[in-house]
Amino acid sequence: MTQTFLICKRARSQELVITSSYCLSFPVMCTFIVVLGFFKLSRTARSEEDRDMLWDAWGSWSECSRTCGGGASYSLRRCLKMADFICPAFFKYLKYFKLCFNVPQDCPSDAGDFRAQQCSAHADEQYQDQYHEWLPVYNDPDNPCALKCKAKGSGFVVELAPKVLDGTRCYTESLDMCISGICQIVGCDHELGSTATEDNCGVCNGDGSSCRLVRGHYKSQHSSGKTEDTVVTIPYKSRHVRLILKGPDHLYMESKTLQGVRDELVLDRSRQYYIENTTVDYQKLSDKEVLRITGPLGADFTVKVQFTGGTDSVVQYIYYQPIIHRWRETDFFPCSVTCGGGYQLTSAECYDLRSGQVVVDQYCHYYPENVKPKPKLQECNMELCLDSDGYKEIMPYDQYHPLPRWESSPWTSCSTSCGGGIQSRSVSCVEEDMQGTITPTEEWKCLYSPKTAILQPCNTFDCPTWLAQEWSPCTVTCGQGLRYRVVLCIDHRGLHAGGCNPTTKPHIKEECLVTVPCYKSKDTLPVEAKPVWHKQAIELEEEVTASEEPT
């Protein structure tokens, strides 16, 4: 008879009750047993209700089904009166499971996959009169908790056991775990039935703020004369790497650990590779190569491309890079005074998450996601000073030291008279003592308030420009003559105020030709007889000098 299992989760303890089923035949009794198991899961001595129901106390926990990587442990509760209706002959006990995540949680690299170990255990058994080397079949959508293996070489698939050992992962990219042949949901918080998931940064129930998405592309340049080139360097602990090369070139990888140990990974065919505690999935297709790494990366990986000639290749990549430098708030600095009321501030320092050491601030500025914490200010040493300390008596309204403040010098002259310039000033942190004397002090004391600007734009209005009027008629009615125009210097207000560059001034006269035959000699007019506009143009020819710079 094929048994099914009924699973009940205890709300607060990530544990299961599994009952061998006559549930199909006795659904009411099955419900009763589950309710009983749900509310009576104490592993201490039997209570009055337990004795009435004739169930034994829960036994001690079994050893964990695995020594690493996480498994399951169970406790049994036996029925004390088999002949009673409450305990039919084929319903002998309740089996109660919980997860056990051993230390270390990650198995050694040479231990091999747990499902693969179970397949290999059948190597000494004959199948169809032959011995085979069995390889695991992963991610079976129909029955992920059955032990299905394929024979190496021939490739045929066989179910060697109806269920895998407790603690086997249902799927390769999931924490879900097979327990008593049933795939159970496991959250990233290692609780049964939990829906907690990791964010792209690998943080359980995280908000994605501890890493940043990096996208990019690369195009090979065969004409450069090189035989290889670097595509991208992906830092340690990065996750969800995906890289696609389209073209005739070939990918390979180099690794460098934090200790400086280097290694190289030659990607010769489609399969999984293992380097520096990192699994690399590589596919080589007819027109492209695909690289996938779930991560986290166990070292810094440099992806390179080997040129094979022919057309250029294009590489696209995406990955989540951990933010390895973060701001950290410091402790409060010492109080500014020993008595009489002072202040103390915190600051911020940039530190390396990998080494835990403080580094220069520029490392944290590299990540725009990082927000530098604002300094905190608090009062300190508020007790009044004693006469023996040499302080004068402080009036009630002037009892405490004023806070340090930013003080700035006057702005310098603008760097340009028009068209947009810059002016600057110096800003320093000062503090004032009881007597009103102001002295410079360390800048960190003023960080509780924003620092005033030291640069600002000035004279942003347009510079004066030349404006030419329409040309006059030609000075003659036939043949060769001259024509004139008025040229004005106009400022940003639209006024003729001067200040234009004389070397760029448009000319005010030019020759002109009237295509009418002349039958009489050209008379030379006296200056007084010339038109008024001619005199005006001559006067404007002279440079106009402004009395002062425009404002």
Side-chain angles (χ1 to χ4, degrees):
M1 175 181 177
T2 302
Q3 290 185 338
T4 60
F5 294 87
L6 183 66
I7 303 170
C8 180
K9 180 179 183 295
R10 188 179 181 185
R12 295 185 179 179
S13 61
Q14 65 181 31
E15 299 171 351
L16 294 178
V17 177
I18 300 182
T19 61
S20 59
S21 167
Y22 77 116
C23 293
L24 296 179
S25 303
F26 302 98
V28 176
M29 182 56 64
C30 181
T31 303
F32 179 75
I33 294 297
V34 172
V35 173
L36 175 67
F38 189 89
F39 291 104
K40 310 283 185 188
L41 295 181
S42 171
R43 296 175 56 244
T44 59
R46 295 192 303 273
S47 64
E48 293 293 328
E49 292 84 354
D50 290 336
R51 285 195 294 270
D52 291 342
M53 300 304 294
L54 300 178
W55 285 95
D56 195 5
W58 289 102
S60 59
W61 291 111
S62 68
E63 292 185 0
C64 193
S65 60
R66 299 189 62 186
T67 58
C68 63
S73 179
Y74 65 87
S75 174
L76 292 179
R77 191 183 195 191
R78 302 182 182 278
C79 188
L80 298 177
K81 192 174 181 182
M82 295 302 183
D84 197 26
F85 177 75
I86 195 69
C87 296
F90 55 90
F91 202 132
K92 299 179 180 180
Y93 59 84
L94 296 175
K95 199 171 185 180
Y96 185 47
F97 282 86
K98 71 173 183 179
L99 298 187
C100 48
F101 281 86
N102 310 84
V103 178
Q105 293 184 13
D106 295 328
C107 296
S109 58
D110 56 354
D113 176 74
F114 193 36
R115 191 181 290 264
Q117 294 176 19
Q118 296 172 58
C119 286
S120 299
H122 293 268
D124 57 351
E125 301 174 4
Q126 285 191 351
Y127 182 81
Q128 295 180 349
D129 299 327
Q130 290 184 351
Y131 293 99
H132 299 277
E133 181 179 351
W134 297 104
L135 302 176
V137 175
Y138 297 101
N139 305 322
D140 182 5
D142 298 325
N143 191 359
C145 290
L147 183 61
K148 292 185 178 180
C149 310
K150 61 180 178 181
K152 186 176 181 179
S154 60
F156 62 86
V157 177
V158 179
E159 184 178 299
L160 296 179
K163 59 183 180 180
V164 293
L165 298 179
D166 291 342
T168 307
R169 298 292 166 84
C170 305
Y171 307 100
T172 54
E173 301 297 331
S174 171
L175 292 175
D176 295 349
M177 186 181 295
C178 293
I179 298 178
S180 199
I182 300 176
C183 183
Q184 299 298 326
I185 296 175
V186 178
C188 61
D189 53 1
H190 296 162
E191 292 192 6
L192 283 170
S194 170
T195 58
T197 57
E198 290 184 349
D199 62 9
N200 291 318
C201 311
V203 178
C204 187
N205 280 331
D207 58 2
S209 61
S210 62
C211 65
R212 61 199 305 244
L213 176 65
V214 179
R215 297 176 183 267
H217 70 279
Y218 163 89
K219 184 175 182 181
S220 61
Q221 299 289 338
H222 291 172
S223 59
S224 62
K226 297 185 292 186
T227 59
E228 64 177 31
D229 199 7
T230 297
V231 175
V232 62
T233 297
I234 307 174
Y236 172 72
K237 290 293 184 180
S238 294
R239 293 172 177 265
H240 306 295
V241 180
R242 179 178 173 84
L243 187 145
I244 301 177
L245 178 145
K246 294 183 179 179
D249 297 328
H250 179 59
L251 293 173
Y252 75 99
M253 301 176 65
E254 293 178 351
S255 65
K256 180 182 177 182
T257 66
L258 297 180
Q259 293 75 32
V261 179
R262 296 178 179 272
D263 199 357
E264 183 174 311
L265 180 61
V266 179
L267 306 170
D268 52 1
R269 58 190 177 89
S270 297
R271 64 183 181 92
Q272 277 193 344
Y273 295 83
Y274 195 78
I275 179 173
E276 298 297 344
N277 294 325
T278 305
T279 301
V280 179
D281 287 313
Y282 171 73
Q283 282 184 296
K284 184 175 179 61
L285 306 175
S286 59
D287 60 338
K288 63 182 178 182
E289 298 182 16
V290 180
L291 202 64
R292 293 185 181 90
I293 308 175
T294 302
L297 270 60
D300 293 334
F301 281 82
T302 300
V303 181
K304 295 191 173 184
V305 60
Q306 289 179 331
F307 298 152
T308 59
T311 59
D312 293 337
S313 297
V314 175
V315 181
Q316 293 180 328
Y317 57 85
I318 181 174
Y319 61 91
Y320 286 88
Q321 174 187 351
I323 298 177
I324 60 176
H325 296 106
R326 281 196 174 276
W327 293 109
R328 178 171 60 187
E329 189 177 49
T330 66
D331 295 331
F332 280 97
F333 287 102
C335 192
S336 59
V337 297
T338 57
C339 61
Y343 54 86
Q344 55 187 164
L345 291 166
T346 64
S347 184
E349 59 190 9
C350 182
Y351 75 105
D352 191 316
L353 291 174
R354 298 176 298 182
S355 64
Q357 296 180 345
V358 178
V359 295
V360 295
D361 289 358
Q362 284 79 355
Y363 285 103
C364 286
H365 292 319
Y366 172 72
Y367 301 99
E369 299 86 351
N370 276 343
V371 178
K372 189 174 183 179
K374 294 182 178 180
K376 294 179 180 178
L377 176 71
Q378 70 178 17
E379 297 174 333
C380 54
N381 294 344
M382 303 302 293
E383 65 277 3
L384 293 177
C385 297
L386 302 176
D387 294 338
S388 59
D389 292 334
Y391 285 84
K392 70 173 185 178
E393 184 179 354
I394 302 171
M395 300 300 293
Y397 56 82
D398 188 27
Q399 186 171 357
Y400 304 120
H401 288 280
L403 292 176
R405 64 182 184 271
W406 296 110
E407 195 166 86
S408 56
S409 65
W411 291 106
T412 61
S413 300
C414 192
S415 59
T416 60
S417 60
C418 62
I422 293 293
Q423 56 186 169
S424 62
R425 64 179 177 181
S426 61
V427 178
S428 59
C429 182
V430 299
E431 59 183 351
E432 185 177 352
D433 62 15
M434 299 295 186
Q435 292 75 32
T437 304
I438 298 176
T439 57
T441 186
E442 298 91 342
E443 284 200 354
W444 65 263
K445 295 183 179 181
C446 291
L447 291 179
Y448 68 92
S449 64
K451 188 175 182 180
T452 54
I454 60 174
L455 296 175
Q456 74 173 10
C458 54
N459 291 348
T460 56
F461 50 82
D462 295 334
C463 293
T465 56
W466 295 107
L467 178 64
Q469 306 292 326
E470 295 292 332
W471 286 105
S472 71
C474 198
T475 56
V476 298
T477 57
C478 66
Q480 189 80 25
L482 295 173
R483 64 176 183 175
Y484 297 85
R485 66 178 175 181
V486 176
V487 178
L488 303 175
C489 180
I490 305 299
D491 65 11
H492 65 284
R493 299 166 297 179
L495 302 177
H496 177 53
C500 297
N501 186 356
T503 61
T504 61
K505 182 178 180 180
H507 57 279
I508 65 168
K509 67 178 179 179
E510 68 178 9
E511 294 181 348
C512 55
L513 178 64
V514 180
T515 58
V516 176
C518 293
Y519 297 101
K520 294 190 294 183
S521 60
K522 185 168 39 174
D523 294 331
T524 302
L525 297 174
V527 175
E528 291 79 6
K530 289 184 179 180
V532 177
W533 47 261
H534 177 261
K535 182 179 179 181
Q536 182 184 7
I538 294 298
E539 291 175 351
L540 290 171
E541 181 82 20
E542 300 174 359
E543 182 66 28
V544 178
T545 304
S547 60
E548 59 181 355
E549 290 293 329
T551 59

